[in-house]
Amino acid sequence: MPSLEIGQIIKNRYRVDAYLGGGGMADVYRVFDLSRRTDLAMKVLKQDLAEDREFLRRFRSEARRLAELQHPHIVRYYGLEQDGRLAFMLMDYIDGRTLKTEIFNDNAPLIYEKIWLILQDVCSALNYAHESGYVHCDVKPANIMINRQGVAFLTDFGIAREVDATTATMVGFGAPAYMAPEQVKGADPTPQTDIYSLGITIYEMVT
């Protein structure tokens, strides 16, 4: 159930315009930044996470590094903010739909030309993230956005981990249906972890 009301203004700056969806970690809204005069996506953390000081400390630290991931096919992430007990992430708003919706609506294998264009964008984004020292850890159709021009964007680095990290830098485990064996076993992820998940995503597109 949405936790914010349409028209509500957060921190005297972000006007809530639409509820986009939600999951186990957060609810997502389209908001209008009254200062920058642009639409953004706001991911509002569930109350149990928003009231976990250790989670917020770790997330805020990681947010500063994730904000440095600037790539044409990665949704730009701006960081974690708080307004009282409300904790939320801000990122670029992509006017389009997820690959998951695309697959569902087509109700048939995607045409190869579309698959090829999506893969070029997603692989470029993943390669950049890996070279920057990050494993996404949650590659799946729901985390791939496609705008109205057909350009694909990798989003939701919420549980990303640094390649050389010895402990998890985010709370979360990924979607079971797309998890690589090492994730299931609780072992440290590697770039190959994302490639495994991408392989399952490709299987869904072609079947």
Side-chain angles (χ1 to χ4, degrees):
M1 184 178 201
S3 56
L4 301 181
E5 296 181 1
I6 303 303
Q8 182 176 349
I9 296 179
I10 310 299
K11 297 189 71 173
N12 296 315
R13 177 171 177 175
Y14 306 109
R15 186 188 67 216
V16 180
D17 284 349
Y19 174 69
L20 302 178
M25 180 178 171
D27 292 317
V28 183
Y29 300 83
R30 187 184 79 239
V31 301
F32 186 72
D33 185 340
L34 298 170
S35 176
R36 295 175 55 211
R37 311 298 298 176
T38 188
D39 287 324
L40 295 174
M42 174 187 284
K43 178 175 284 191
V44 180
L45 300 183
K46 298 292 188 182
Q47 186 175 6
D48 58 335
L49 296 179
E51 294 180 348
D52 185 328
R53 294 186 185 278
E54 176 61 16
F55 172 83
L56 290 176
R57 183 191 66 79
R58 293 167 64 191
F59 203 107
R60 191 174 293 107
S61 175
E62 185 69 6
R64 288 193 293 269
R65 293 190 288 273
L66 287 177
E68 297 173 359
L69 288 178
Q70 298 186 42
H71 185 274
H73 299 291
I74 292 179
V75 175
R76 180 69 187 275
Y77 174 80
Y78 295 105
L80 177 72
E81 295 193 29
Q82 287 183 268
D83 185 19
R85 291 181 177 272
L86 188 72
F88 55 92
M89 295 172 278
L90 291 166
M91 60 202 78
D92 282 336
Y93 170 69
I94 303 299
D95 185 12
R97 55 187 180 177
T98 66
L99 176 58
K100 180 179 180 180
T101 299
E102 194 96 356
I103 293 171
F104 178 83
N105 287 349
D106 279 20
N107 198 30
L110 301 186
I111 60 174
Y112 287 131
E113 290 80 2
K114 181 186 290 187
I115 293 173
W116 175 244
L117 290 174
I118 292 171
L119 283 179
Q120 286 186 91
D121 294 345
V122 174
C123 287
S124 176
L126 278 176
N127 181 65
Y128 170 79
H130 294 161
E131 289 188 343
S132 299
Y134 285 93
V135 181
H136 186 283
C137 296
D138 199 20
V139 176
K140 58 185 179 183
N143 285 338
I144 296 171
M145 294 292 302
I146 302 173
N147 70 11
R148 295 183 182 275
Q149 290 73 45
V151 180
F153 300 84
L154 186 60
T155 188
D156 205 347
F157 276 77
I159 63 170
R161 288 186 60 178
E162 289 184 279
V163 174
D164 296 326
T166 56
T167 59
T169 56
M170 287 294 173
V171 174
F173 304 93
Y178 302 90
M179 289 170 66
E182 62 270 21
Q183 281 181 287
V184 176
K185 295 177 181 178
D188 289 337
T190 67
Q192 285 72 29
T193 303
D194 287 341
I195 294 172
Y196 182 97
S197 301
L198 181 61
I200 297 175
T201 299
I202 294 171
Y203 176 81
E204 290 192 4
M205 287 194 286
V206 300
T207 61

